[in-house]
Amino acid sequence: MSYKRFTVYSNDKIGDNIKTVLDNALNLIEKSELYDPVYKYNIILCYNTFYNKIDDRLLGNGPTARTTLNNVVVKVRIDPENNLAFTTFHKTCETNLTELLAHEMTHCLQANKYGILKFNPFRHPEFWKLEGYPEYIAEQNELSGKDYNLRSDINRYINLESKATDIWILSAPGGCEVPGYYYKGKLMMEYLIDIKHLSYDKILKDTSSENTVYQEMIKWNDTPHLRR
């Protein structure tokens, strides 16, 4: 299926309801400074295919999706009509298909902006910079909601971190959990972009350690007059 700046590949017939999901994913990544209005994406749906078996053997079983250049490879079953992807990462659950695609499309834009030699499975920025930014972009609708509060999310993470080293955090109504380091990276990106007003480009160039940035965020969270 060809639609706007997408080409969708699937062994099974795909209905027009996926177009709404693609439109909503585009609306999310338009909020990114990496957004390119002429960039084109291949969405490859490979659930229950021979490709999936090869991919699992070569790169490991588990991830819900992967990206290479402008290719978003979705490895799990999806339900575009209800905007769901049925992930098996960590445990079987339902996740938001629009946010899944927006996260992976942001990875495409990272490689498009900075080059595949700097953003690839073998060489990339620190993990919190690599994954925190796509999480931040994919969750823009939630982060801009009137009931959302960054401080509450930081406190939630601190509370979980104090109880366990292997943290999985419930991220959606469908029961899906994300690794703590994804959640932590998203919080740090949100702090740097929305509170300190830094660009992603400047964050990438900054040589401050992850712990330095994290402790700075904690200090901001704990000091009322610094909150803004």
Side-chain angles (χ1 to χ4, degrees):
M1 173 189 288
S2 293
Y3 176 67
K4 295 184 178 178
R5 286 183 283 119
F6 298 96
T7 303
V8 183
Y9 297 89
S10 174
N11 281 354
D12 302 315
K13 182 177 175 60
I14 213 93
D16 283 345
N17 42 39
I18 199 172
K19 294 179 180 178
T20 300
V21 176
L22 297 175
D23 284 336
N24 291 336
L26 268 181
N27 288 339
L28 285 172
I29 65 166
E30 283 177 357
K31 304 176 189 298
S32 168
E33 69 187 76
L34 306 181
Y35 177 69
D36 183 338
V38 298
Y39 191 79
K40 296 181 179 181
Y41 305 85
N42 293 325
I43 309 296
I44 304 168
L45 306 177
C46 65
Y47 174 69
N48 204 25
T49 65
F50 182 67
Y51 173 90
N52 232 11
K53 295 178 182 178
I54 296 174
D55 182 79
D56 288 345
R57 183 174 293 273
L58 292 177
L59 297 176
N61 191 7
T64 301
R66 300 189 193 279
T67 57
T68 305
L69 297 174
N70 67 327
N71 302 302
V72 175
V73 180
V74 181
K75 295 169 59 61
V76 300
R77 182 170 66 90
I78 66 169
D79 176 5
E81 183 177 359
N82 293 299
N83 191 32
L84 293 173
F86 300 92
T87 180
T88 56
F89 185 51
H90 183 51
K91 66 178 185 178
T92 302
C93 60
E94 300 174 357
T95 195
N96 185 296
L97 179 57
T98 296
E99 292 184 4
L100 169 65
L101 291 179
H103 177 108
E104 300 301 331
M105 288 160 64
T106 305
H107 279 313
C108 292
L109 294 177
Q110 288 172 322
N112 179 57
K113 171 73 174 181
Y114 299 104
I116 192 65
L117 295 180
K118 293 183 178 179
F119 276 85
N120 63 71
F122 308 103
R123 183 182 180 188
H124 51 71
E126 293 174 89
F127 208 80
W128 70 273
K129 294 182 180 181
L130 173 70
E131 295 293 349
Y133 187 68
E135 284 289 283
Y136 168 77
I137 294 299
E139 295 184 18
Q140 281 298 298
N141 288 338
E142 286 84 351
L143 302 186
S144 60
K146 64 178 182 179
D147 295 327
Y148 177 77
N149 183 276
L150 172 58
R151 181 170 172 265
S152 295
D153 264 18
I154 293 173
N155 288 333
R156 181 189 184 199
Y157 178 81
I158 293 171
N159 182 55
L160 290 170
E161 187 183 41
S162 68
K163 297 177 181 178
T165 54
D166 183 22
I167 304 172
W168 290 83
I169 299 178
L170 186 67
S171 64
C176 286
E177 297 174 330
V178 297
Y181 49 84
Y182 272 68
Y183 195 80
K184 179 182 179 183
K186 186 268 295 185
L187 293 175
M188 292 167 67
M189 281 293 160
E190 190 178 352
Y191 166 71
L192 292 173
I193 294 172
D194 292 349
I195 303 302
K196 295 198 69 179
H197 307 294
L198 300 180
S199 67
Y200 182 57
D201 189 66
K202 190 165 185 177
I203 293 169
L204 287 178
K205 292 175 180 175
D206 184 31
T207 58
S208 300
S209 70
E210 176 180 346
N211 187 59
T212 297
V213 176
Y214 179 68
Q215 293 303 324
E216 179 186 310
M217 181 181 73
I218 298 303
K219 181 179 180 181
W220 168 82
N221 184 60
D222 291 341
T223 310
H225 75 272
L226 291 179
R227 299 177 197 146
R228 60 184 187 275

